[in-house]
């Protein structure tokens, strides 16, 4: 039988349809799950790596990272050895992921450096050097930084050196605006965590997807970026449901957990493109921030202030747990 193009498209599963209008990124550190879903890019963080290293499949990778760290003459004391082993492990996961995907991998800098621009820059340079030693070009790596003022300043320095940055733990327009101003390659606004905060703060169990504060936040950032021609890529992250993902169909990139990718792959319902680059507006006011006005704008956004601090604490705690696991 002969099928028209619309019929063929309608028969595609939702994951495949979505991949035609947004770049799909796997939100996991588990190599086997990345092999299963075959995304373009992949992103990791300390929480995802902590989950992965507890699986037997990755025990050899952990051992190798420790061995490489011990082989470095620069890391004789325990603290520096642990730090180097963590860097080697993060890069090892990144290298394995890049063998599978055609695009980019995001590697996160220690959240405990979130308020130290100098230390963040030094750590990012070192991670990129480790990738280069493994034969990986820096053009295939995104360095993930918390969207603090100090993290954004680090991104500005690194981007000028050709080290591309993914600004994470982003919950507000002011963070997004400043990320674009410093030339960050990509931002990761956290949809689900924004929604979580508003549900708790307002005592609401459920939002209709078009009233969902997390979805609205990313749509606002998207409209701002397209209106003012910002090149920084928007990658919606931290999704709680398939409905949230589909409500941002057309966003530059979407990083999606394996569970939600499987849910999308199980349905052939039509995916409508919600966001497109032509969605500009004459009513959107352009914003500019100094350090003090940025800090004030962030302070005025209770959700962003609390979720940024909570996210940094959570990643820092999981980093500490991961360190204990690595040297167990």
């Amino acid at each position: 039988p002969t099928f028209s193009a619309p019929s063929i498209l309608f028969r595609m599963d939702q994951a495949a349809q979505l991949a035609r209008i947004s770049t799909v990124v796997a939100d996991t550190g588990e190599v086997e799950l990345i092999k299963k879903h075959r995304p373009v890019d992949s992103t990791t963080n300390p929480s995802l790596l902590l989950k992965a290293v507890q699986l037997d499949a990755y025990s050899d990778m952990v051992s190798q990272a420790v061995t490489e760290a011990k082989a470095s003459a620069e890391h004789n004391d325990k603290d520096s050895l642990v730090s180097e082993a963590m860097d080697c492990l993060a890069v090892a996961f990144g290298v394995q992921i890049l063998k599978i995907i055609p695009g980019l991998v995001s590697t996160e800098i220690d959240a405990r450096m979130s308020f130290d621009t100098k230390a963040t820059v030094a750590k990012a340079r070192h991670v990129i050097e480790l990738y280069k030693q493994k034969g990986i070009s820096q053009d295939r790596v995104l360095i993930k930084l918390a969207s603090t003022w100090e993290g954004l300043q680090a991104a500005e320095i690194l981007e000028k050196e050709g080290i591309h940055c993914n600004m994470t733990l982003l919950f507000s327009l002011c963070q997004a605006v400043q990320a674009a101003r410093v030339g960050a390659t990509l931002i990761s606004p956290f949809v689900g965590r924004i929604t979580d905060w508003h549900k708790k703060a307002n005592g609401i169990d459920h939002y209709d997807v078009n009233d969902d504060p997390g979805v609205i936040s990313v749509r606002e950032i998207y409209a701002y970026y397209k209106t003012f021609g910002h090149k920084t890529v928007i990658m919606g992250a931290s999704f709680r449901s398939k409905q949230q993902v589909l409500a941002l169909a057309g966003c530059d990139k979407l990083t999606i957990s394996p569970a939600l990718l499987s849910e999308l792959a199980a349905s052939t319902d039509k995916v409508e493109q919600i966001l497109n680059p032509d969605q500009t507006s004459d009513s959107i006011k352009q914003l500019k921030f100094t350090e003090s006005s940025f800090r004030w704008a962030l302070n005025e956004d209770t959700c962003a202030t609390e979720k940024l601090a909570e996210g940094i604490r959570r990643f820092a705690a999981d980093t500490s747990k991961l360190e204990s696991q690595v040297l167990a």
Side-chain angles (χ1 to χ4, degrees):
T2 301
F3 296 99
S4 65
S7 297
I8 294 171
L9 180 60
F10 192 70
R11 287 168 55 113
M12 294 170 64
D13 67 56
Q14 289 186 312
Q17 291 180 62
L18 187 64
R20 292 169 67 98
I21 54 177
S22 293
T23 299
V24 174
V25 181
D27 195 11
T28 179
E30 295 184 48
V31 176
E32 293 306 313
L33 290 175
I34 295 168
K35 287 180 181 178
K36 175 182 177 182
H37 293 287
R38 295 284 172 174
V40 174
D41 299 338
S42 185
T43 182
T44 65
N45 62 47
S47 303
L48 296 174
L49 291 183
L50 177 62
K51 181 180 177 182
V53 300
Q54 295 176 50
L55 303 174
D56 291 340
Y58 305 110
S59 59
D60 289 346
M61 200 179 295
V62 175
S63 298
Q64 180 63 28
V66 174
T67 299
E68 289 180 6
K70 288 180 177 177
S72 173
E74 300 175 17
H75 306 286
N76 296 320
D77 65 278
K78 183 178 179 181
D79 288 345
S80 62
L81 175 62
V82 170
S83 177
E84 183 68 3
M86 291 287 286
D87 292 343
C88 289
L89 182 63
V91 169
F93 270 96
V95 170
Q96 290 303 310
I97 290 168
L98 287 172
K99 291 178 180 178
I100 304 166
I101 63 173
L104 309 174
V105 69
S106 289
T107 297
E108 189 138 358
I109 296 302
D110 191 333
R112 294 168 296 191
M113 296 179 177
S114 296
F115 304 102
D116 189 331
T117 297
K118 185 177 179 180
T120 295
V121 169
K123 177 66 75 173
R125 289 170 177 160
H126 182 60
V127 167
I128 290 296
E129 181 58 34
L130 290 177
Y131 270 111
K132 288 181 178 178
Q133 290 173 14
K134 298 290 185 180
I136 303 297
S137 166
Q138 67 188 42
D139 289 337
R140 295 201 68 195
V141 180
L142 289 173
I143 296 295
K144 289 180 77 174
L145 307 173
S147 298
T148 58
W149 176 261
E150 293 79 6
L152 290 158
Q153 297 308 293
E156 185 168 24
I157 295 168
L158 293 167
E159 290 283 358
K160 288 176 180 177
E161 297 176 3
I163 297 175
H164 304 303
C165 298
N166 170 352
M167 302 312 300
T168 188
L169 295 176
L170 192 145
F171 305 96
S172 67
L173 182 60
C174 70
Q175 291 172 296
V177 168
Q178 192 63 15
R181 194 202 70 77
V182 302
T185 296
L186 181 147
I187 61 169
S188 298
F190 276 30
V191 179
R193 294 195 195 183
I194 293 173
T195 304
D196 293 344
W197 186 92
H198 282 276
K199 282 183 175 180
K200 182 177 180 181
N202 297 311
I204 295 174
D205 293 330
H206 174 75
Y207 283 103
D208 177 81
V209 72
N210 290 315
D211 297 322
D212 186 317
V215 171
I216 291 171
S217 177
V218 177
R219 288 179 177 176
E220 179 185 28
I221 292 168
Y222 186 91
Y224 184 95
Y225 272 26
K226 301 314 173 186
T227 295
F228 295 108
H230 292 307
K231 302 303 182 185
T232 297
V233 173
I234 304 168
M235 182 173 73
S238 173
F239 292 103
R240 298 293 183 254
S241 68
K242 183 179 80 168
Q243 289 70 32
Q244 285 184 328
V245 174
L246 295 177
L248 294 174
C251 190
D252 303 333
K253 295 189 177 187
L254 297 168
T255 181
I256 307 169
S257 69
L260 289 180
L261 284 172
S262 293
E263 195 174 332
L264 287 162
S267 172
T268 56
D269 291 348
K270 188 175 181 180
V271 173
E272 299 284 353
Q273 181 167 352
I274 306 300
L275 302 180
N276 69 74
D278 297 328
Q279 290 171 329
T280 60
S281 174
D282 293 335
S283 64
I284 297 176
K285 180 182 178 182
Q286 189 164 21
L287 303 173
K288 293 183 180 180
F289 294 103
T290 61
E291 178 178 353
S292 59
S293 64
F294 171 86
R295 293 188 186 280
W296 180 254
L298 188 61
N299 179 74
E300 287 293 275
D301 189 326
T302 310
C303 171
T305 297
E306 292 183 1
K307 297 307 288 186
L308 174 60
E310 178 187 85
I312 291 171
R313 288 194 299 268
R314 184 185 301 177
F315 283 158
D318 283 344
T319 297
S320 295
K321 292 176 184 176
L322 185 56
E323 289 174 342
S324 298
Q325 186 84 14
V326 167
L327 292 182

